[in-house]
Amino acid sequence: MSIIAEVCWRSEELNSTENFRLIRQQAHWLLEGDVTITESSRSAQWLYQITCDPNWQTKEVRIQHSRMAPLTFSRDNEGKWYQNRVYLPDLNGADDIDLGFTPATNTLPIRRLQPEINETIICHAAWSRPNDCSIVPVEQYYTRLGANLYEYHNPSSGFRTQLDVDQHGLVKTYGDIWFAD
């Protein structure tokens, strides 16, 4: 196991902090995060681990929340998604997981697809809502504007922002939502 990078993110908008590690383990990539979100003077903790194959294809996602039962999402080689071993047909064709409580998952399509400058890539993702971890399919667009600058766009919600990333594809700034310390 080799730790490639560690990041601490904070978000005033979400009132959250996160300690994150990007790990290379044999032929796999691991993304691990520990997120604390405070709402109404009450804190909730999210722990997650995402396992990707050598090509940054999501294989398994484990999520623990301080107030919910643990969840496991997995994606097989045919692109079928499962939640705690229950097949989720609505997610067929989704390539990546997008956890709504962390900017870490933006790294997945950026590293997997590696667009050229001025190229737009389309990513079909399984988006996990931050409040209840329900998961829905979304289409996302990433346009590479510079060496380490991307525009993220979700056409179904109309949300658009810029992502400044480091040499590993990890977010340094996510619009005015997340910032790396």
Side-chain angles (χ1 to χ4, degrees):
M1 180 172 85
S2 177
I3 297 174
I4 304 301
E6 294 181 289
V7 180
C8 294
W9 283 299
R10 63 182 164 72
S11 172
E12 289 181 21
E13 182 175 306
L14 300 175
N15 202 19
S16 70
T17 57
E18 176 175 356
N19 293 310
F20 170 84
R21 296 186 319 164
L22 174 61
I23 300 167
R24 180 74 173 179
Q25 186 175 34
Q26 298 171 357
H28 292 89
W29 291 101
L30 297 177
L31 291 81
E32 294 183 340
D34 180 346
V35 180
T36 301
I37 301 174
T38 303
E39 296 177 22
S40 304
S41 71
R42 207 172 146 193
S43 291
Q45 184 178 29
W46 297 87
L47 300 173
Y48 67 89
Q49 183 180 66
I50 301 168
T51 303
C52 298
D53 71 13
N55 299 313
W56 291 91
Q57 191 71 60
T58 302
K59 295 312 231 176
E60 184 178 75
V61 181
R62 294 174 184 262
I63 303 171
Q64 289 183 298
H65 184 274
S66 54
R67 295 185 213 137
M68 295 175 6
L71 293 171
T72 300
F73 297 101
S74 57
R75 183 180 178 280
D76 68 18
N77 292 332
E78 296 172 3
K80 294 178 182 174
W81 284 83
Y82 299 84
Q83 178 179 342
N84 296 340
R85 298 188 177 150
V86 176
Y87 176 50
L88 302 171
D90 291 348
L91 299 180
N92 283 351
D95 295 308
D96 301 301
I97 190 78
D98 182 355
L99 301 178
F101 53 83
T102 177
T105 49
N106 294 100
T107 302
L108 302 172
I110 288 171
R111 288 294 299 263
R112 185 172 47 78
L113 299 172
Q114 300 180 11
E116 298 292 326
I117 293 176
N118 295 321
E119 180 183 6
T120 299
I121 56 174
I122 300 171
C123 172
H124 300 279
W127 180 56
S128 176
R129 293 183 173 120
N131 295 336
D132 61 6
C133 266
S134 61
I135 192 162
V136 296
V138 296
E139 189 172 77
Q140 302 172 329
Y141 292 72
Y142 291 84
T143 301
R144 190 171 188 178
L145 303 174
N148 295 318
L149 186 63
Y150 292 81
E151 178 183 77
Y152 167 84
H153 179 212
N154 179 332
S156 63
S157 70
F159 179 75
R160 187 183 300 263
T161 195
Q162 287 192 354
L163 312 175
D164 181 24
V165 302
D166 68 10
Q167 72 271 22
H168 304 293
L170 297 171
V171 169
K172 293 191 307 190
T173 60
Y174 184 105
D176 59 359
I177 300 174
W178 279 288
F179 302 91
D181 288 332

